[in-house]
Amino acid sequence: MLGILPILAAATGNQDVRLFDTFFRVGSLVFGGGHVVLPLLRAEVVPSGWIGNDAFLAGYGAAQAVPGPLFTFAAYLGAVIGGWKTAVLCLVAIFLPSFLLVIGILPFWVNLRRRTAIQAALRGVNAAVVGLLLAALYDPIWTSGILSRADFAIASFAFLLLFCGGRRRGSLSSCVRQPARF
């Protein structure tokens, strides 16, 4: 499908096919969680003019406020682009590669997971995911949200509260005395 959808999208020029192709490709490239999808989705939907950067960030903020997988952000994007039918289309397109992968790999997984080469490949993919997560933090989140020294100070303080607030004493001083262990 990864080879057929782009050809079909270019040949027909149909927006629904182009959207399905875009969200299917993004869903195919994601490994390690929904936040990895942010730079990929943004690179596809904002420059194409389907959605503005402010609406993209507003939807991301809303997706963070509700429980569930971040992939549901695709439904928001689809709804903004073309209503509820487009929302369903985008949601199905982004989840479909994972379902197809599970259905295809599941019968062989027990044997595959024992192979050293597969384990090494998965470790490499996990390392690459860290880079994608940092890219998602920097652009669009950091570049759109941290615009002044005051923004940086607020973000740093919030990070300290999140990082240290879960300690036994629940104070910042306990964080300084007892550094986190990873």
Side-chain angles (χ1 to χ4, degrees):
M1 286 185 76
L2 284 172
I4 295 169
L5 281 173
I7 295 168
L8 189 61
T12 64
N14 183 311
Q15 180 170 323
D16 288 341
V17 176
R18 287 183 15 230
L19 281 168
F20 193 88
D21 169 46
T22 296
F23 282 83
F24 186 85
R25 271 187 294 114
V26 168
S28 299
L29 298 173
V30 171
F31 187 88
H35 293 284
V36 176
V37 107
L38 281 179
L40 301 172
L41 273 177
R42 184 172 179 267
E44 293 289 336
V45 299
V46 173
S48 69
W50 282 332
I51 190 171
N53 193 49
D54 289 343
F56 183 88
L57 290 173
Y60 173 64
Q64 291 296 320
V66 297
L70 190 60
F71 270 28
T72 56
F73 181 47
Y76 164 81
L77 293 174
V80 170
I81 292 168
W84 72 269
K85 290 180 184 177
T86 307
V88 171
L89 176 86
C90 293
L91 190 63
V92 167
I94 204 164
F95 274 105
L96 186 59
S98 299
F99 289 133
L100 294 176
L101 181 66
V102 168
I103 290 167
I105 287 287
L106 200 56
F108 310 104
W109 182 243
V110 172
N111 292 330
L112 284 175
R113 66 185 285 195
R114 292 183 185 141
R115 294 182 183 208
T116 311
I118 298 296
Q119 292 172 358
L122 288 175
R123 282 193 300 274
V125 169
N126 282 332
V129 165
V130 172
L132 285 172
L133 287 171
L134 288 174
L137 171 66
Y138 179 72
D139 187 20
I141 306 304
W142 188 272
T143 58
S144 299
I146 308 297
L147 303 175
S148 68
R149 289 182 179 172
D151 294 338
F152 180 77
I154 291 168
S156 298
F157 184 69
F159 173 77
L160 282 174
L161 287 176
L162 287 171
F163 189 71
C164 302
R167 306 279 179 197
R168 273 185 228 145
R169 296 183 195 137
S171 68
L172 293 179
S173 61
S174 68
C175 184
V176 173
R177 284 188 228 127
Q178 299 173 352
R181 293 187 188 112
F182 295 102

